[in-house]
Amino acid sequence: MNAEEFRAAALKVPGAVEAAHMNHPDFRVNGKIFASLGYPDEGWGMVKLTPAQQRAFMKEAPEIFSPCAGAWGKPARRAFISHRPRKGF
């Protein structure tokens, strides 16, 4: 999955719009970010996941999904960064 495929998938979420902050694209519903591209570099995309979703994604594809550092990985605001997700995942 490249950046354009990630973007297209994010924009399929009902009500999603593309915006930007910190010099990289993000995707929002009702003003809340649920995904972003290009952080920490161009090869990465971030998707916010619940703790249960994190466990499932890490179990299914640990070579693709890893926890974000800092506040994003804390229980109140869970998110993962996906790196080069494979097609169809």
Side-chain angles (χ1 to χ4, degrees):
M1 176 180 281
N2 63 33
E4 290 308 312
E5 292 167 325
F6 185 100
R7 176 178 276 110
L11 291 171
K12 286 183 181 178
V13 173
V17 296
E18 184 172 346
H21 79 284
M22 299 178 63
N23 298 316
H24 57 84
D26 63 44
F27 304 91
R28 304 167 187 234
V29 171
N30 295 324
K32 303 286 186 185
I33 296 171
F34 70 88
S36 65
L37 271 172
Y39 183 83
D41 64 43
E42 290 182 14
W44 293 85
M46 183 280 297
V47 180
K48 288 189 178 182
L49 301 171
T50 67
Q53 290 169 323
Q54 289 182 52
R55 287 188 294 276
F57 278 75
M58 286 294 296
K59 183 177 180 181
E60 179 68 26
E63 73 284 3
I64 296 171
F65 292 91
S66 59
C68 297
W72 292 109
K74 292 183 180 176
R77 289 182 49 123
R78 295 283 189 162
F80 269 48
I81 294 178
S82 60
H83 182 66
R84 292 174 283 169
R86 63 182 177 251
K87 282 193 178 258
F89 183 77

